[in-house]
Amino acid sequence: MLKINQNYLNLKDSYLFSTVARKVSEYTSKNPGKRVIRMGIGDVTLPLCEAVTEALHTAVDEMSGAETFRGYGPEQGYDFLRAAIRDYYARRGVELGEDEVFVSDGAKSDTGNILDIFSRENTVLIPNPVYPVYLDTNIMDGRQIKFMNAGEHNGFLPLPDESLKADIIYLCSPNNPTGAVYDRESLGKWVAFAKANGSIILFDAAYEAFVSDPNLPRSIFEIEGARECAIEFGSLSKTAGFTGLRCGYVVLPRTVKFQEKELGALWLRRQTTKFNGTAYIIQRAAAAVFSPEGQEQTGRQLAYYRENAGIITQALSELGVWHTGGAHSPYVWLKCPGGMSSWDYFDFLLENANVVGTPGAGFGSGGEGYFRLTAFGEKQATIEAMRRVKETFR
Ligand code: PLP
């Protein structure tokens, strides 16, 4: 008789966003006159920029002509996009080979799928709190999981120590949900730690485009030694509003070798077997993001979200509320006032300010007592939301 993957029974149901949605809908049906401002879900709101939509239109036209139509493409991405991503890194001083870039339909799939090339006997180290996909995908594989605690004591940026030895180490910077960003020195410690222990670092750089300080690293490959022990995950979701279009990429240098095998070769084998490539139209749109016009236009969108983040952090600073993130991230992470639990604060803000955020506990036990607000909303709504939040303190 068929046996199911028992590990799936060990997954906790993910109630976070469904509970948020249910509570908001219950509140609005009881209070129809109230205008609720949503700063919860981490989805973008600005439409695609012109460079991207132009590229989409052109690609659609190509698909409708017999001479320019494209069928199956290379699983690892078209050369034009791999080269554009390679050049994007080169402009920041990171030299990559085009064959070290693997295009995909997003960082969520990549961070989950990469596990296919690792033994299930490996141990895993995951920050707590963090983007929940790392935990769930490893539970599905039945790996032994260790957590590293992120908290106010370490600025929500845990550093390595001997108790944290593991084969697979997840780092997410700028971090979801805390918005905290590692500096070069701290990432250097992680790289040294991974190399000393024969570990791999899975570096999630989905929010790298929000880093505006040139002294802060946007890629782990800015750190010496990382080319031997790290895999990076990139995404156009938040950088260019691709949450609906879907495009991401993996950077896996040829120098990452374990048991004398290039991990890149295993990843290519995995992708060519289980993935048939990102749509040509989407890859053209993605390439447009890296063009000078695309960089300028998406840069303006990022600036818009950054300004919202500034509005949020300024209000919290005025209120004397402990918070982190926001400066180089669309997320602001705050300590719930009065020692409230994160769900209590969710209810409190919904009822008293009609503002929706995300309870920190949804990102792991380490998020209890904290709360995430996102800067992806509209500017006037963000200003109004923070005015209401301030009111609740009076
Ligand atoms: N990684 C992190 C840290 C995220 O927060 C998200 C989305 O919220 C993703 C990856 C998923 O990105 P994508 O839309 O490219 O799948």
Side-chain angles (χ1 to χ4, degrees), residues 106-108 131 134 172 176 204 206-207 235 237-238 246 331:
K108 188 181 203 174
Y131 180 55
Y134 316 147
C172 177
N176 179 11
D204 190 339
Y207 298 94
S235 168
S237 284
K238 312 297 160 79
R246 311 300 310 141
Y331 299 127

Side-chain angles (χ1 to χ4, degrees), residues 292-315:
E293 305 75 47
Q295 286 292 287
E296 197 264 318
Q297 292 165 14
T298 53
R300 267 189 271 144
Q301 299 188 328
L302 292 166
Y304 180 92
Y305 293 138
R306 241 183 241 122
E307 198 182 334
N308 284 346
I311 292 164
I312 300 170
T313 53
Q314 196 190 329

Side-chain angles (χ1 to χ4, degrees), residues 42-43 104-111 130-134 172-177 204-207 233-238 242-244 246-249 331 372:
D43 200 353
S104 73
D105 64 355
K108 188 181 203 174
S109 343
D110 283 336
T111 49
V130 86
Y131 180 55
V133 170
Y134 316 147
C172 177
S173 175
N175 188 275
N176 179 11
D204 190 339
Y207 298 94
F233 301 88
S235 168
L236 295 188
S237 284
K238 312 297 160 79
F242 273 50
T243 49
R246 311 300 310 141
C247 192
Y249 53 88
Y331 299 127
R372 190 189 77 173

